[in-house]
Amino acid sequence: MKKSGSYKQASGKKKKSYGKKPYNKVDHTVKKHSGPKHSDSQKRSGTKRANYENDYIFWCKECNVPLIGPKCCTCGQEGIRLNLSQPADIRFCSPYERNILHEKLMESFSYDPIGGRIVLLNKIPGDDKTDEVIVDGLLFGILRFDLSIMDYAFDIQLEGAGILLEYAKEKTVVLKRSSKHLNGKRVDPNDIESMGADVKEGEDVLVISGKLSGFGVSFCDANDLLSCTGPALRVRKIDSNPVSLNPKISSMDDVVAANIEYIRKLGKNAINTIKGIANQGEYKDLPVHVSFSGGKDSLVILDLTISALRKRKVEAFFINTGIEFPETLDFVYEYCEKNSIPLTEKKAGNTFWENVEVFGPPAKDFRWCCKVCKLGPANAAIEECLETSRTCLTIDGKRKHESFSRANIAASEMNPFVPGQLNIFPIRDWRAIEVWLYIHWRGMDYNPLYDMGFERVGCYLCPAALSAEYHRMGEIHSDLYERWESFLLNWAEKTGMSEKFMEHGLWRWKELPPKMLKLCENLGISSSGGAQEGDFSIDITSGISPCKAGGYSIEAIIHGFSMKSSTNIMNMMGETVFSEELGLLIVKGKASSVKFFSSGNMLVNAKSREDADRLYSDVSMQLIRNHRCTGCGICVNACPVSAISLDNGNGIIVNDRCIRCGKCTKSCVVLKYAGKMNR
């Protein structure tokens, strides 16, 4: 596809203004959800969930388009501000998601008023895929994947209810006029003037009370209203603000035109970031590698890098994990060939399937697959690069808004997990909407999986993926789905887990979070056995030996390993760096390091044999101490800076105040009598 966008300044000509026929002048600000509370682990460690500053967009009422800046580039009018629930990674609704939304509206209200309008989805916290639906700058509803029924559900919101009232009379309940406060209240049958014929028990309904309108849930069928002995309705929200859809229906071209100056500025800033770092004296002669996964972010980064470094050798670097979607493989190969971009591919081959019988299904808190399928091939490629270059310069598409764990990405950083690799993150501040605006502006081909309903296009059985996308994978690739389902069911039989445990996607956790435990309780699914650890022991697999990167190393395997509890205590050994994505924890000393992988592997590296042996012994001692902790609290009292706390079930927690004085270790009863304990 020919690229239509360029970085040249606009001609200055204004597009013709559209008719100024007004529609209801109400405040269309999307109200923020309160968001999730801090997790127990965050409270214990004292860390705070990231807070994003750019958690809003604007909406031009004249052109009826979303804006990423305050003023419309088409008509020049100021847009109204829409505050978004965090992480505010708002995006355009895909064709597949639009079809789902249509189906759910027809099921619930027998009408879909949205038509061909621009629809935005804003990801919010939920059990699975959960998105605010924004239409014409209005919070229309929430589209979510319900794990209890393994299907999508649509929850109407106040502004959406106001729009639907005109079209869904059979799903409307009219209340008798009342001066009572109605929000959240239950309504008796005597207070209902009429109930639409299609109203069913347990369904969302539209509610009218005089000049007030809103939505609620029915406690009975319309046919049973007169015989209903209890409350017939619960009003969820109701107010007096009238809303309506904008008469203008805009296209994606209109959206791009209205944001053109902001898109160009974003592109130029990203290009300047790439040039500013890649052209520094120590890097200016190095080849440039772009981490290209076949996803939208890496696609934009590849285009920006080629635009920024026209006279440099730019090469796309693709890790084929062996469990990629066929569409991703085709797109990577075809895009690079079509655009004459050199491609280096590193293949993990059948590594995943060779290891899954040993480790079991990967999980969000047990990502052994990242080590064998990603980190291994990546290390091999980087080592090849370092054979001819002093630094492996890599441009990467990671963004802060993708997840709270990525919220503190810097413009560039040395990879703490792969020595010698410098990563540059030029679009770290972009949101998904800005990525897509850039793609549409440049007229770029993109991975077709996005139009099929996938928000992310990584490994097809990644535990970090949503159940909604996993089931969508089953619809388009039944062969891949059936192979993995067969393994899961066999594994469930071996470990005593139920088929329902697998069917509801609970294999994606080794230790189920509270909301999944609640789901198990509600559905009557046994959650026992899914997170059990074996007997604890540490065995050396490779003795002290010279390390290729320098110094000496020891490799060991930790049986009954828990990444969570190990992370909690390792602050006392040095500075810790944790990658949830890779399932990797690094503990850094002045001239040493220890790497823990979620698979249970441990790698100790130090300058000398003696240092490596001493470090291995010290780390092992802390792991044993944590695993066998009796909760006596002696170490808590021994700490001079109050850096230690105890967590029932997760052992000892050492926070960042630790000065590594060793007093807690010396006071530990477990270590003093370790040789006499048998656990």
Side-chain angles (χ1 to χ4, degrees):
M1 187 180 295
K2 186 178 180 180
K3 294 179 181 178
S4 58
S6 71
Y7 291 98
K8 294 180 180 179
Q9 292 295 327
S11 63
K13 294 181 181 179
K14 289 188 177 180
K15 288 191 175 182
K16 180 181 178 181
S17 295
Y18 294 94
K20 296 185 178 180
K21 180 180 178 182
Y23 70 112
N24 292 13
K25 294 182 179 180
V26 297
D27 180 7
H28 297 289
T29 300
V30 177
K31 296 177 177 64
K32 286 187 181 180
H33 286 240
S34 60
K37 297 179 180 179
H38 294 310
S39 66
D40 292 339
S41 60
Q42 287 172 316
K43 290 178 181 178
R44 290 193 300 266
S45 63
T47 60
K48 294 182 179 180
R49 173 158 276 178
N51 187 53
Y52 298 95
E53 294 181 358
N54 55 339
D55 56 351
Y56 55 87
I57 60 170
F58 299 89
W59 200 280
C60 176
K61 294 167 67 175
E62 174 68 20
C63 301
N64 197 23
V65 291
L67 304 173
I68 56 176
K71 185 180 290 187
C72 179
C73 300
T74 298
C75 70
Q77 289 194 10
E78 296 283 338
I80 58 171
R81 175 166 165 155
L82 308 181
N83 293 321
L84 304 171
S85 301
Q86 294 203 6
D89 199 26
I90 193 167
R91 68 189 190 279
F92 295 103
C93 183
S94 71
Y96 174 79
E97 291 163 323
R98 181 64 187 89
N99 287 336
I100 293 293
L101 180 57
H102 172 77
E103 289 175 6
K104 296 305 166 183
L105 284 171
M106 296 303 294
E107 286 177 12
S108 299
F109 302 102
S110 303
Y111 190 77
D112 177 0
I114 299 173
R117 298 171 185 274
I118 295 294
V119 179
L120 299 183
L121 299 180
N122 183 47
K123 178 172 58 179
I124 60 174
D127 290 349
D128 202 70
K129 188 173 186 177
T130 309
D131 293 296
E132 293 173 326
V133 179
I134 300 171
V135 183
D136 287 8
L138 304 169
L139 178 53
F140 191 84
I142 294 175
L143 185 64
R144 59 186 173 84
F145 191 80
D146 189 337
L147 290 177
S148 62
I149 60 174
M150 299 306 286
D151 195 6
Y152 280 94
F154 178 74
D155 302 324
I156 192 69
Q157 297 297 295
L158 194 58
E159 292 169 328
I163 293 168
L164 281 166
L165 276 171
E166 183 181 347
Y167 310 100
K169 303 297 184 183
E170 299 304 308
K171 289 285 188 176
T172 300
V173 178
V174 180
L175 307 183
K176 295 178 181 178
R177 289 181 179 272
S178 171
S179 59
K180 296 179 181 178
H181 176 72
L182 292 173
N183 279 317
K185 300 299 183 181
R186 295 171 183 261
V187 179
D188 291 331
N190 293 335
D191 294 322
I192 294 177
E193 188 171 297
S194 65
M195 180 177 280
D198 291 343
V199 171
K200 301 295 181 184
E201 181 181 356
E203 291 184 345
D204 283 348
V205 294
L206 309 177
V207 179
I208 297 176
S209 178
K211 293 183 179 180
L212 303 178
S213 63
F215 67 102
V217 60
S218 174
F219 292 155
C220 69
D221 291 354
N223 295 334
D224 300 328
L225 178 62
L226 297 178
S227 60
C228 182
T229 57
L233 172 77
R234 179 174 176 266
V235 178
R236 287 180 173 166
K237 285 188 178 180
I238 194 167
D239 70 10
S240 59
N241 292 327
V243 294
S244 63
L245 292 172
N246 193 316
K248 178 176 176 55
I249 298 179
S250 300
S251 66
M252 184 60 70
D253 287 342
D254 295 326
V255 180
V256 171
N259 288 278
I260 190 65
E261 293 177 15
Y262 304 116
I263 305 170
R264 285 198 183 105
K265 185 176 180 180
L266 282 169
K268 286 181 178 179
N269 288 343
I271 284 175
N272 288 337
T273 297
I274 296 169
K275 286 181 176 179
I277 299 173
N279 289 337
Q280 290 178 12
E282 57 186 312
Y283 307 129
K284 66 180 181 179
D285 296 325
L286 298 178
V288 179
H289 304 84
V290 177
S291 182
F292 187 42
S293 67
K296 67 183 189 306
D297 302 326
S298 63
L299 172 65
V300 167
I301 280 296
L302 184 56
D303 187 69
L304 286 166
T305 304
I306 291 172
S307 298
L309 306 174
R310 296 184 183 278
K311 296 182 180 180
R312 295 276 288 277
K313 180 184 177 182
V314 176
E315 187 174 301
F317 171 44
F318 173 56
I319 299 176
N320 183 347
T321 61
I323 42 178
E324 303 287 340
F325 279 98
E327 290 86 352
T328 297
L329 296 175
D330 291 342
F331 175 70
V332 167
Y333 301 147
E334 291 171 8
Y335 186 85
C336 289
E337 181 179 0
K338 179 179 178 180
N339 294 279
S340 302
I341 300 170
L343 174 66
T344 295
E345 178 184 13
K346 289 297 177 183
K347 297 181 178 181
N350 205 41
T351 303
F352 176 84
W353 297 105
E354 291 170 352
N355 284 271
V356 71
E357 291 289 350
V358 177
F359 293 117
K364 292 174 183 286
D365 48 350
F366 183 54
R367 299 193 189 187
W368 60 263
C369 49
C370 289
K371 180 192 176 186
V372 300
C373 298
K374 282 187 177 179
L375 200 57
N379 279 342
I382 293 168
E383 286 179 5
E384 288 179 12
C385 174
L386 294 174
E387 289 176 359
T388 56
S389 303
R390 56 190 175 277
T391 302
C392 185
L393 189 63
T394 307
I395 320 294
D396 194 289
K398 285 188 177 68
R399 299 183 296 108
K400 294 179 179 179
H401 287 269
E402 289 180 275
S403 66
F404 291 109
S405 64
R406 292 185 173 181
N408 297 314
I409 298 173
S412 66
E413 59 184 34
M414 296 301 297
N415 190 336
F417 308 107
V418 184
Q421 183 187 29
L422 174 67
N423 285 319
I424 303 174
F425 305 107
I427 63 169
R428 65 195 182 283
D429 293 318
W430 293 26
R431 295 165 297 181
I433 190 172
E434 286 143 349
V435 173
W436 282 114
L437 282 172
Y438 183 93
I439 289 171
H440 289 299
W441 172 53
R442 297 282 277 171
M444 300 170 69
D445 296 325
Y446 54 85
N447 194 320
L449 288 170
Y450 288 112
D451 287 345
M452 299 179 190
F454 292 87
E455 187 184 346
R456 59 178 299 281
V457 294
C459 302
Y460 62 77
L461 48 72
C462 178
L466 299 164
S467 278
E469 296 180 341
Y470 176 63
H471 280 264
R472 177 62 176 146
M473 183 267 285
E475 292 175 353
I476 63 175
H477 289 297
S478 58
D479 54 336
L480 302 178
Y481 181 85
E482 288 169 5
R483 181 181 184 185
W484 183 234
E485 280 290 293
S486 176
F487 169 81
L488 287 176
L489 294 177
N490 288 334
W491 182 81
E493 186 176 352
K494 291 178 185 176
T495 55
M497 304 305 295
S498 69
E499 288 190 12
K500 275 193 172 183
F501 189 91
M502 301 295 119
E503 290 170 2
H504 288 269
L506 298 167
W507 58 268
R508 295 176 297 146
W509 289 270
K510 197 166 180 65
E511 182 178 345
L512 292 176
K515 61 182 180 181
M516 292 299 113
L517 289 172
K518 184 67 176 177
L519 178 69
C520 287
E521 181 182 339
N522 292 341
L523 297 178
I525 299 174
S526 173
S527 61
S528 62
Q532 293 178 353
E533 297 178 0
D535 294 334
F536 183 83
S537 64
I538 306 173
D539 298 323
I540 291 178
T541 57
S542 178
I544 303 175
S545 58
C547 182
K548 190 174 181 179
Y552 291 82
S553 65
I554 299 175
E555 293 185 43
I557 182 72
I558 308 169
H559 303 283
F561 175 70
S562 167
M563 178 67 82
K564 183 176 181 180
S565 62
S566 299
T567 303
N568 288 341
I569 197 171
M570 281 300 144
N571 265 331
M572 69 172 301
M573 295 300 302
E575 178 189 353
T576 60
V577 181
F578 176 62
S579 169
E580 181 182 7
E581 182 179 4
L582 295 176
L584 175 59
L585 169 69
I586 292 183
V587 183
K588 296 180 178 179
K590 290 182 179 179
S592 62
S593 68
V594 184
K595 294 181 181 179
F596 297 92
F597 300 90
S598 57
S599 58
N601 292 89
M602 177 173 71
L603 177 63
V604 175
N605 183 267
K607 273 190 173 182
S608 67
R609 288 177 176 272
E610 293 75 17
D611 289 343
D613 187 46
R614 188 182 307 111
L615 181 58
Y616 170 77
S617 177
D618 291 345
V619 169
S620 298
M621 189 183 302
Q622 297 305 327
L623 291 173
I624 292 170
R625 169 191 168 197
N626 197 44
H627 181 79
R628 296 182 174 178
C629 178
T630 61
C632 69
I634 293 176
C635 60
V636 176
N637 296 324
C639 180
V641 293
S642 302
I644 299 176
S645 60
L646 299 178
D647 174 33
N648 185 30
N650 288 303
I652 304 161
I653 299 171
V654 181
N655 64 36
D656 293 337
R657 292 193 296 269
C658 178
I659 57 176
R660 304 179 182 103
C661 63
K663 290 183 178 180
C664 60
T665 303
K666 293 176 183 176
S667 69
C668 181
V669 177
V670 167
L671 292 179
K672 184 175 182 180
Y673 299 107
K676 297 181 180 180
M677 297 176 69
N678 184 25
R679 281 180 61 188

